[in-house]
Amino acid sequence: MQPYIEQLVNAALLGTDKILPEYSFADASLGQRLSETGADREDTFLRQAAAAFLYEEVGQPTQQLAVPEQTYQGDTGNQASGKLGQLLETAIRTDDLILLHYLASLSRPQNLVVAPHLVPDLLDIAAKQGPKKAFFAALSGPVGQWMCQFEPAWSNLMTGDPEEDFETASIAARVTHLENLRQRDPNAARLLLEKTIAAETAEKRAVLLNIMAKHLQPDDEAFLETQLKDKSIKVRQIAHGLLIKIPGSRLSGLYKSYWQKAVKMSNSLDLIREEMPDNALFEAGMEKVSSQKSIPDYIYYLAQTIAALSPDDLAQHLQIKPAALLRQFDKIIYHGFFQQYVTQSALNFRHIEWAKMLLKKSNGNIDLIDVLPKAEQFEFYQKLNKSHFVTIINRLYQQETYELFPEEFAQFLLTSLRNAPYSTDTKGYYRLGFNMPESILTTIDTYGRKMEEAKNPSDRFFINNLGEMAKAIEFRRQLSHFNHSQI
Amino acid sequence: MQFSEEQIKQLAPDDASASAGRQLANPAKWVVKCHHETALWGDCQGSGKVPYSTIVDLTQLAFKCTCPSRKFPCKHGLGLLFLFARSPEVFNHATDLAPHVEEWMGKRNARQAAKSESEAKPVDEKARQKRTDQRTQKVNDGVAELTNWLKDLVRTGIMPVPQNAYGFTQKIMARMHDAQAPGLAARLKNMSDIKFYQEGWQRELLQQMAYAYMLTSAYRKLPDLPPLWQEDIKTQIGYALTKEEVAQQGTSVEDDWWVAAVQHEQQDKLKVEKTWLWGKNTGQFALLLQYSAPGQPLAHSFLPGSAIHAELVYYPSVAPLRVLVKTARPMETNIWPNGPDNLNATLEALSTRLANQPFHRQIPVIVHQIRLIWHEQRWWLQDQAGQSLPLHQSNAACLRMMAASLGFPFDAMVLWDNGHYAVVSYWLNQHFFTT
């Protein structure tokens, strides 16, 4: 028989003129009283329904549930406290990813984690961060790992030991694990990748193979050689790019041998058209036919060879200094075409001298700045300012380090932003603030005092956003007792 | 008085304001920031030429700001309070109030005094009786009409209702407004708000109809009921007592009260704030209901988790719950309330309360040493004996509770809401959280 309330619901659906269920109360006299005193069918029905619902509400029982232990028994980790703890809470509650990234970078070297009550919101943020998922999720510590079991959206955020189920873990977890392993034990990382790479999609093979760029060593050559036969062009290119950087590799030797045959030095560089590269080079990825209009094939081979050899190797064969060789390139007819390959060589082999010389040219590739030591980079940023300011700002915005800018550079940045305030947005000003020295606050205050005189919107935009910059400087000041050099 | 960020968050009109307020809790944003034992004030550099001047009255938690925001409190008021909670040391301690702060606080006090005076003015009794009689007639007619409408609906069956989900209560709802029975109109609005596309609407609709009918039946017997019941029924119909009437007829209780929770709801254009208070000596709950139009401040703002010493007056009822505030001042000490540590005892107390006053659809209870468990794809509250109740609460709120408690027992204020249970606030290890 249906429960009484269901009978009442059915009667209500069909109408009481069609059906009126018999009352059924634990206290039978109640039902009888309601029936007898009802003014009509509907009155009786509605009063019975009200009584039935009330009976149900006041009589709701608890349930005896036997569930396995669900308490967290582990260590909650070393919790960030004081200002750091407060700011972490602010960053999480306000979804302030810029501040959170900064704080996570500060917390990481000391294995500090957020308070347990913040873990769910932190994991929600982390789940939306693509490749940075694991970085943010790590801040939730062991409690975060435990909480992941309760929410499917977090299941891939933190895997305990991806090595055990490397093939089934998320790509983000695998990348993190492989990066860490490469750092700790380069050979073990290579062996793991060797074992599993064939089962991956082309895109993931490329991502995973790229991790080998760190701690590249001669032992990696054999594995990377096998990747030159991969079906994906992208994977082959990555393998090729890595192999040329291994000193004494077969591929590097092939390029060297071709360079030695095809280039001679007399008064100027002599490029020998008749010399052909070894077939093995074409098989390894050298392009056989020039894709550039009006560039003969042999120049194209030489250009690729320049990019594949270090400036020192290139110069050594000709028994001149790298700087002299670079000047020689400027004298040959194809110097414009060679420029990008020469730049590539400086980038591939992080050649500081060439990087500086190339940056001094008007069309120097700004990526070359990365080759320079940090302290020297700012000088070049200032030199490149006029033509590349937006690019500079973007590069500074995207950087993940929090080293302070030198005072002079910070002043230069403020002046440049004053002249071109829309070169970045509010977030940009805020992010840059985390690299600004505290001393710059005086200049910011000076600009702030000019707010009342600021007539046009761009001035207002600039001054308002300096407030964001000052906010970041203030956050950093509050945490000045942390060792920023570790991040 | 010390505020926690969690408590300040509860004062925000919405999440966006709380978030924006937190962003402003940075000394760099404030040109001026001063603290006096009765107030905070500061100048915040906004997008305009002139900084916004913000004041927070700490004695009554009132806010004033020169910004054009219609939200109340605005992000600047919240930001100043967040900053004070986070870094009180960055404030200049003032022994005297700044002139503009003193002026505003003086005006507030004068306004309140004037209000009390105007409230004390005598009224024309004859005219009032005439108005009361006219309204009674209107309400009687409205109740009769609603009774017939409910009967007609069950006679013909509720099956076709979802086809006209929006419109089926429109006319009768308008009639209830005309009949000056807003309580009944609100019940009809709740019926039309049922999610008719979801399984279970039939049961929900019948329940609401049955309870509305129970109310109309009770109203028809009003003269035969004891005075307190009469007040309860009239309140449900939509009669509002004036403050003086409450003061005359209600029960005044002076106690140390714990602010258990503050909830916000939107009713059409009005913001409704529900403040749940728990009396340390009486062990009884009180509900302060405050309504405000957009941009209008509330008369009282209390921080959840804090303690106040207050004289509250309960509205006359067979099961008193709603109160108005006669006097209130913040306390420095904390109160951690007690309650039964088994859910069966909690349900028994709840059932008694519901049996005494079935029209109360929200009943708060304190539960001691319960824990949260995840079982069969849903969250439950479980006591030490393994007795459990299903929670009707967002997954996000339960995840936060689980993380804060790490699965260990905690104390909580649980709200029975129309047959469902939800944790509204909880505390463990002297930390207070709201859901």
Side-chain angles (χ1 to χ4, degrees), chain A residues 43 56-58 62-63 471, chain B residues 203 213 351 361 387-388:
Chain A
D43 179 65
E56 190 187 57
E57 282 179 343
V58 296
T62 54
Q63 291 185 40
K471 191 169 90 177
Chain B
R203 186 189 162 95
Y213 190 78
S351 296
R361 305 312 296 160
Q387 298 295 331
S388 314

Side-chain angles (χ1 to χ4, degrees), chain B residues 69-118:
Chain B
S69 171
R70 296 189 62 181
K71 290 184 179 177
F72 200 87
C74 68
K75 62 180 180 180
H76 305 102
L78 292 166
L80 194 62
L81 211 48
F82 273 125
L83 181 60
F84 183 62
R86 226 179 260 171
S87 314
E89 72 280 359
V90 301
F91 281 74
N92 294 323
H93 187 77
T95 46
D96 297 317
L97 293 171
H100 71 291
V101 181
E102 199 172 3
E103 187 189 344
W104 175 66
M105 289 181 71
K107 273 185 188 168
R108 266 179 62 79
N109 293 337
R111 248 199 321 269
Q112 275 181 350
K115 208 172 163 189
S116 313
E117 234 172 67
S118 73

Side-chain angles (χ1 to χ4, degrees), chain B residues 4 12-13 62 131 216 301 352 375:
Chain B
S4 75
R131 281 199 302 273
T216 59
S301 288
T352 308
H375 177 65

